[in-house]
Coordinates of all heavy atoms in Angstrom, one line a residue:
E803 N 72.8 26.5 50.1 CA 73.7 25.7 49.2 C 75.2 26.2 49.5 O 76.1 25.3 49.3 CB 73.3 26.0 47.8 CG 73.9 25.1 46.7 CD 73.3 25.4 45.4 OE1 73.6 26.5 44.8 OE2 72.6 24.6 44.8
R804 N 75.4 27.4 49.8 CA 76.8 27.9 50.0 C 77.5 27.2 51.1 O 78.7 27.0 51.1 CB 76.8 29.4 50.1 CG 78.1 30.0 50.3 CD 78.1 31.5 50.5 NE 77.7 32.1 49.2 CZ 78.6 32.4 48.3 NH1 79.9 32.2 48.5 NH2 78.2 33.0 47.2
F805 N 76.7 26.8 52.2 CA 77.3 26.3 53.4 C 77.1 24.8 53.5 O 77.8 24.1 54.2 CB 76.8 26.9 54.6 CG 77.3 28.4 54.8 CD1 76.6 29.4 54.4 CD2 78.6 28.6 55.3 CE1 77.1 30.8 54.6 CE2 79.1 29.9 55.5 CZ 78.3 31.0 55.1
A806 N 76.1 24.2 52.9 CA 75.8 22.8 53.1 C 75.8 22.0 51.7 O 75.5 20.8 51.7 CB 74.5 22.6 53.8
G807 N 76.1 22.7 50.6 CA 76.1 22.1 49.3 C 74.7 21.7 48.9 O 73.7 22.3 49.3
T808 N 74.6 20.7 48.0 CA 73.2 20.4 47.4 C 72.4 19.6 48.4 O 72.7 18.6 48.9 CB 73.5 19.5 46.2 OG1 74.3 20.1 45.3 CG2 72.1 19.1 45.5
T809 N 71.3 20.3 48.8 CA 70.3 19.7 49.7 C 68.9 20.0 49.1 O 68.8 20.9 48.2 CB 70.3 20.2 51.1 OG1 70.0 21.6 51.2 CG2 71.7 20.0 51.7
G810 N 67.8 19.4 49.6 CA 66.5 19.8 49.1 C 66.2 21.3 49.4 O 65.7 21.9 48.5
L811 N 66.4 21.7 50.6 CA 66.0 23.1 50.9 C 66.9 24.1 50.2 O 66.5 25.1 49.8 CB 66.0 23.3 52.4 CG 67.3 23.3 53.3 CD1 67.8 24.8 53.3 CD2 67.1 22.9 54.6
G812 N 68.3 23.8 50.1 CA 69.1 24.7 49.5 C 68.8 24.9 48.0 O 68.8 26.0 47.4
L813 N 68.5 23.8 47.3 CA 68.2 23.8 45.9 C 66.8 24.4 45.6 O 66.6 25.1 44.6 CB 68.3 22.4 45.3 CG 68.3 22.3 43.8 CD1 69.3 23.2 43.1 CD2 68.6 20.9 43.4
A814 N 65.9 24.2 46.6 CA 64.5 24.8 46.4 C 64.6 26.3 46.5 O 63.9 27.0 45.7 CB 63.6 24.3 47.5
L815 N 65.5 26.8 47.4 CA 65.7 28.2 47.5 C 66.4 28.8 46.3 O 66.1 29.9 45.8 CB 66.3 28.6 48.8 CG 65.6 28.4 50.1 CD1 66.5 28.6 51.3 CD2 64.4 29.3 50.1
A816 N 67.5 28.1 45.9 CA 68.3 28.5 44.7 C 67.5 28.6 43.4 O 67.6 29.6 42.7 CB 69.5 27.7 44.7
D817 N 66.7 27.6 43.2 CA 66.0 27.4 41.9 C 64.6 28.0 42.0 O 63.9 28.1 41.0 CB 66.1 26.1 41.3 CG 67.4 25.7 40.7 OD1 68.2 26.7 40.5 OD2 67.6 24.5 40.3
R818 N 64.1 28.2 43.2 CA 62.7 28.7 43.5 C 61.7 27.7 43.0 O 60.7 28.2 42.4 CB 62.6 30.1 42.9 CG 63.6 31.1 43.4 CD 63.4 32.5 42.9 NE 64.5 33.4 43.3 CZ 64.3 34.6 43.8 NH1 63.1 35.1 43.9 NH2 65.4 35.3 44.2
V819 N 61.9 26.5 43.1 CA 61.0 25.5 42.7 C 60.9 24.3 43.7 O 62.0 24.0 44.3 CB 61.4 25.0 41.3 CG1 62.7 24.3 41.3 CG2 60.3 24.2 40.6
P820 N 59.8 23.6 43.9 CA 59.8 22.5 44.8 C 60.8 21.4 44.4 O 61.0 21.2 43.2 CB 58.3 21.9 44.7 CG 57.6 23.1 44.3 CD 58.5 23.9 43.4
T821 N 61.6 20.9 45.3 CA 62.7 20.0 45.1 C 62.8 18.9 46.0 O 62.6 19.1 47.1 CB 64.0 20.8 45.2 OG1 64.0 21.9 44.2 CG2 65.2 20.0 44.9
L822 N 63.0 17.6 45.5 CA 63.3 16.5 46.2 C 64.7 16.0 46.0 O 65.2 15.8 44.9 CB 62.4 15.4 45.9 CG 62.5 14.0 46.6 CD1 62.0 14.2 48.0 CD2 61.8 12.9 45.9
V823 N 65.5 15.9 47.1 CA 66.9 15.4 46.9 C 67.0 14.1 47.8 O 66.8 14.2 49.0 CB 67.9 16.4 47.4 CG1 69.3 15.8 47.5 CG2 67.9 17.7 46.5
R824 N 67.3 13.0 47.2 CA 67.4 11.7 47.8 C 68.8 11.2 48.1 O 69.6 11.4 47.2 CB 66.6 10.7 46.9 CG 65.2 11.0 46.7 CD 64.5 9.8 46.0 NE 65.2 9.5 44.7 CZ 64.9 10.1 43.5 NH1 64.0 11.0 43.5 NH2 65.5 9.7 42.4
G825 N 69.0 10.7 49.3 CA 70.2 10.0 49.5 C 71.5 10.5 48.9 O 71.9 11.6 49.2
D826 N 72.0 9.7 48.0 CA 73.3 10.1 47.4 C 73.2 11.2 46.3 O 74.2 11.5 45.7 CB 74.0 8.9 46.8 CG 73.2 8.3 45.7 OD1 72.0 8.7 45.3 OD2 73.6 7.3 45.0
Q827 N 72.0 11.8 46.2 CA 72.0 13.0 45.4 C 72.5 14.3 46.1 O 72.9 15.3 45.5 CB 70.5 13.3 44.9 CG 70.0 12.3 44.0 CD 68.6 12.6 43.6 OE1 67.8 13.1 44.3 NE2 68.2 12.1 42.4
H828 N 72.6 14.2 47.4 CA 73.2 15.3 48.2 C 74.7 15.4 47.8 O 75.4 14.4 47.5 CB 73.2 15.0 49.7 CG 71.8 15.1 50.2 ND1 70.9 14.0 50.3 CD2 71.1 16.1 50.8 CE1 69.8 14.4 50.9 NE2 69.8 15.7 51.2
Y829 N 75.2 16.6 47.8 CA 76.7 16.8 47.5 C 77.5 16.2 48.6 O 78.5 15.5 48.2 CB 76.9 18.3 47.4 CG 78.3 18.6 47.0 CD1 78.8 18.6 45.7 CD2 79.2 19.0 48.0 CE1 80.1 18.9 45.4 CE2 80.6 19.3 47.7 CZ 81.0 19.2 46.4 OH 82.3 19.5 46.1
C830 N 77.2 16.4 49.8 CA 78.0 15.9 50.9 C 77.6 14.5 51.3 O 76.4 14.2 51.5 CB 77.9 16.8 52.1 SG 78.8 16.2 53.6
T831 N 78.5 13.6 51.4 CA 78.3 12.2 51.7 C 77.7 12.0 53.1 O 77.0 11.0 53.4 CB 79.6 11.3 51.6 OG1 80.5 11.8 52.5 CG2 80.1 11.4 50.1
R832 N 78.0 13.0 54.0 CA 77.4 12.9 55.4 C 75.9 13.0 55.4 O 75.2 12.6 56.3 CB 78.0 14.0 56.3 CG 79.3 13.8 56.7 CD 79.4 12.7 57.8 NE 78.6 12.9 58.9 CZ 78.7 13.8 59.9 NH1 79.8 14.5 60.0 NH2 77.8 13.8 60.9
L833 N 75.3 13.5 54.3 CA 73.9 13.7 54.2 C 73.2 12.5 53.4 O 72.0 12.6 53.1 CB 73.5 15.0 53.6 CG 74.1 16.2 54.3 CD1 73.7 17.5 53.6 CD2 73.5 16.3 55.7
W834 N 73.9 11.6 53.0 CA 73.4 10.5 52.1 C 72.4 9.6 52.8 O 71.6 8.9 52.2 CB 74.5 9.6 51.6 CG 75.2 10.3 50.4 CD1 75.1 11.6 50.0 CD2 76.1 9.7 49.5 NE1 76.0 11.8 48.9 CE2 76.6 10.7 48.6 CE3 76.6 8.4 49.3 CZ2 77.4 10.4 47.5 CZ3 77.5 8.1 48.3 CH2 77.9 9.1 47.4
G835 N 72.3 9.7 54.2 CA 71.4 8.9 54.9 C 69.9 9.6 54.9 O 69.1 9.0 55.6
Y836 N 69.8 10.7 54.3 CA 68.5 11.4 54.4 C 67.9 11.7 53.1 O 68.6 11.8 52.0 CB 68.7 12.8 55.1 CG 69.5 12.6 56.4 CD1 70.9 12.9 56.5 CD2 68.8 12.3 57.6 CE1 71.6 12.7 57.6 CE2 69.5 12.2 58.8 CZ 70.9 12.4 58.8 OH 71.6 12.3 59.9
T837 N 66.6 11.8 53.0 CA 65.8 12.4 51.9 C 65.2 13.7 52.3 O 64.5 13.7 53.4 CB 64.8 11.4 51.3 OG1 65.5 10.3 50.7 CG2 63.9 12.0 50.4
C838 N 65.3 14.7 51.5 CA 64.8 16.0 51.9 C 63.9 16.5 50.7 O 64.3 16.5 49.6 CB 66.0 17.0 52.1 SG 67.1 16.6 53.4
A839 N 62.7 16.9 51.1 CA 61.8 17.6 50.2 C 61.5 19.0 50.7 O 61.2 19.2 51.8 CB 60.5 16.8 50.1
A840 N 61.6 20.0 49.8 CA 61.4 21.4 50.2 C 60.6 22.1 49.1 O 60.7 21.8 47.9 CB 62.7 22.0 50.4
A841 N 59.9 23.1 49.5 CA 59.1 23.9 48.6 C 59.3 25.4 49.0 O 59.1 25.7 50.2 CB 57.6 23.5 48.6
P842 N 59.5 26.2 48.1 CA 59.7 27.7 48.4 C 58.3 28.3 48.8 O 57.3 27.9 48.3 CB 60.3 28.3 47.1 CG 59.8 27.4 46.0 CD 59.7 26.0 46.6
V843 N 58.4 29.3 49.6 CA 57.2 30.1 50.0 C 57.5 31.6 49.6 O 58.5 32.1 49.8 CB 57.0 30.1 51.5 CG1 55.8 30.9 52.0 CG2 56.8 28.6 52.0
T844 N 56.5 32.1 48.9 CA 56.6 33.5 48.4 C 55.5 34.4 49.2 O 54.4 33.9 49.5 CB 56.4 33.7 46.9 OG1 55.2 33.1 46.6 CG2 57.5 32.9 46.2
D845 N 55.8 35.6 49.3 CA 54.8 36.6 49.9 C 53.7 36.7 48.9 O 53.9 37.0 47.7 CB 55.5 37.9 50.1 CG 54.6 38.9 50.8 OD1 53.6 39.3 50.1 OD2 54.8 39.2 52.0
P846 N 52.5 36.5 49.3 CA 51.3 36.4 48.3 C 51.0 37.8 47.8 O 50.3 38.0 46.8 CB 50.2 35.9 49.2 CG 50.5 36.1 50.6 CD 52.0 36.0 50.7
G847 N 51.5 38.9 48.4 CA 51.3 40.2 48.0 C 52.3 40.7 47.0 O 52.1 41.2 45.9
S848 N 53.6 40.6 47.4 CA 54.7 41.1 46.6 C 55.3 40.1 45.7 O 56.0 40.5 44.7 CB 55.8 41.7 47.5 OG 56.5 40.6 48.2
G849 N 55.1 38.8 46.0 CA 55.8 37.8 45.2 C 57.2 37.5 45.6 O 57.9 36.7 45.0
E850 N 57.8 38.2 46.6 CA 59.1 38.0 47.0 C 59.3 36.7 47.7 O 58.4 36.2 48.5 CB 59.5 39.1 48.0 CG 59.6 40.5 47.4 CD 60.7 40.7 46.5 OE1 61.8 40.0 46.7 OE2 60.7 41.6 45.6
L851 N 60.4 36.0 47.5 CA 60.7 34.7 48.2 C 61.0 35.0 49.6 O 61.8 35.9 49.9 CB 61.9 34.1 47.5 CG 62.4 32.8 48.0 CD1 61.3 31.7 47.7 CD2 63.7 32.4 47.4
V852 N 60.3 34.3 50.5 CA 60.5 34.6 52.0 C 61.1 33.4 52.7 O 61.6 33.6 53.9 CB 59.1 35.0 52.6 CG1 58.7 36.3 52.2 CG2 58.1 33.9 52.4
G853 N 61.1 32.2 52.1 CA 61.7 31.1 52.8 C 61.2 29.8 52.2 O 60.8 29.7 51.0
S854 N 61.3 28.7 52.9 CA 60.9 27.4 52.4 C 60.3 26.6 53.5 O 60.6 26.8 54.7 CB 62.1 26.7 51.8 OG 63.0 26.2 52.8
V855 N 59.6 25.5 53.1 CA 59.1 24.5 54.0 C 59.9 23.3 53.6 O 60.1 22.9 52.5 CB 57.6 24.1 53.8 CG1 57.2 22.9 54.5 CG2 56.8 25.3 54.2

Side-chain angles (χ1 to χ4, degrees):
E803 196 177 65
R804 179 178 291 275
F805 287 99
T808 304
T809 65
L811 73 89
L813 192 48
L815 290 171
D817 282 350
R818 304 180 184 227
V819 66
T821 300
L822 180 75
V823 174
R824 302 186 300 271
D826 61 358
Q827 292 179 333
H828 290 89
Y829 180 81
C830 175
T831 59
R832 284 288 308 281
L833 299 176
W834 283 13
Y836 309 95
T837 288
C838 300
V843 178
T844 58
D845 184 290
S848 68
E850 295 287 336
L851 183 67
V852 293
S854 75
V855 170

